[in-house]
């Protein structure tokens, strides 16, 4: 096979490496490399080393190219960071996909209330009793967050 990716991270996973500085000097290079790979691999990663002072415009160009070419764009701001991304892809090569997705939990009322409590008690001055009072009164976190003013009679410790 004549296709030569920069990194082969699995049977169907490959990566091309590109320095943004090199891209500014040779903008056609990455177009050639992408065409060269065509669609021979299921997951194609464009690993971009962001090594210029003003990356906004060239990063926009590379992002557009990656999207149009069906590449996953991964940006690293140092060679070490880029290497860690490659190592991570290689580490997860033989892992089942559900490991990456995490565990799915059944979202019951108790779980929801616990998560809302965990979220809202991070705000200074909000305690568990306040959260339980607010969820009992308004139902959901969305409804709580849409309230403009909470009556002192409803939650005496809150002054929102």
């Amino acid at each position: 096979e004549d296709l030569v990716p920069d990194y082969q991270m699995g049977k169907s996973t490959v990566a091309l490496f590109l320095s943004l500085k090199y891209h500014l000097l040779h903008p056609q290079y990455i177009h050639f490399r992408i065409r060269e790979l065509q669609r021979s691999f299921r997951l194609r990663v464009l690993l971009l080393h962001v090594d210029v002072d003003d990356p906004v415009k060239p990063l926009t160009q590379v992002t557009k190219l990656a999207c149009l070419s069906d590449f996953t764009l991964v940006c690293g701001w140092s060679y070490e960071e880029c290497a860690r991304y490659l190592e991570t892809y290689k580490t997860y090569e033989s892992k089942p996909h559900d490991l990456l997705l995490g565990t799915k939990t059944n979202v019951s009322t108790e779980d929801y209330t616990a998560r809302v409590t965990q979220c809202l008690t991070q705000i200074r001055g909000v305690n568990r009793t306040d959260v339980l009072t607010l969820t009992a009164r308004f139902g959901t976190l969305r409804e709580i967050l849409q309230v403009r003013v909470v009556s002192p009679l409803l939650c005496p410790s809150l002054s929102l």
Side-chain angles (χ1 to χ4, degrees):
E1 192 170 305
D2 293 339
L3 300 177
V4 183
D6 294 326
Y7 302 97
Q8 183 141 7
M9 302 173 295
K11 294 177 187 174
S12 61
T13 306
V14 296
L16 294 178
F17 178 81
L18 179 65
S19 158
L20 206 49
K21 191 180 289 185
Y22 188 84
H23 176 68
L24 290 172
L25 295 172
H26 307 281
Q28 292 306 313
Y29 168 79
I30 195 62
H31 292 276
F32 170 75
R33 293 299 310 277
I34 287 174
R35 267 195 312 274
E36 186 180 53
L37 275 182
Q38 298 172 354
R39 301 205 184 272
S40 302
F41 299 93
R42 193 177 74 212
L43 176 60
R44 299 172 311 147
V45 176
L46 178 56
L47 182 58
L48 183 67
H49 180 218
V50 182
D51 55 353
V52 295
D53 292 334
D54 186 18
V56 176
K57 188 174 179 185
L59 187 55
T60 304
Q61 295 167 351
V62 173
T63 301
K64 182 178 178 184
L65 176 64
C67 288
L68 293 175
S69 303
D70 201 24
F71 268 71
T72 299
L73 179 63
V74 177
C75 298
W77 274 258
S78 69
Y79 289 119
E80 293 80 13
E81 185 179 4
C82 292
R84 280 194 307 272
Y85 284 125
L86 290 173
E87 289 170 347
T88 302
Y89 272 105
K90 190 65 178 163
T91 300
Y92 283 98
E93 167 189 11
S94 59
K95 306 285 186 203
H97 73 281
D98 56 343
L99 178 69
L100 298 174
L101 297 174
T103 57
K104 291 185 180 180
T105 58
N106 293 330
V107 180
S108 67
T109 306
E110 292 175 22
D111 291 337
Y112 180 75
T113 304
R115 290 185 296 163
V116 170
T117 302
Q118 170 67 26
C119 173
L120 291 178
T121 54
Q122 299 302 309
I123 302 169
R124 188 171 27 153
V126 178
N127 61 39
R128 291 175 188 265
T129 305
D130 295 331
V131 174
L132 291 175
T133 304
L134 290 169
T135 53
R137 170 68 173 86
F138 298 106
T140 66
L141 180 60
R142 169 182 260 158
E143 295 298 320
I144 293 169
L145 295 175
Q146 290 178 348
V147 173
R148 298 245 185 248
V149 178
V150 176
S151 167
L153 298 174
L154 182 60
C155 287
S157 65
L158 287 181
S159 57
L160 300 177

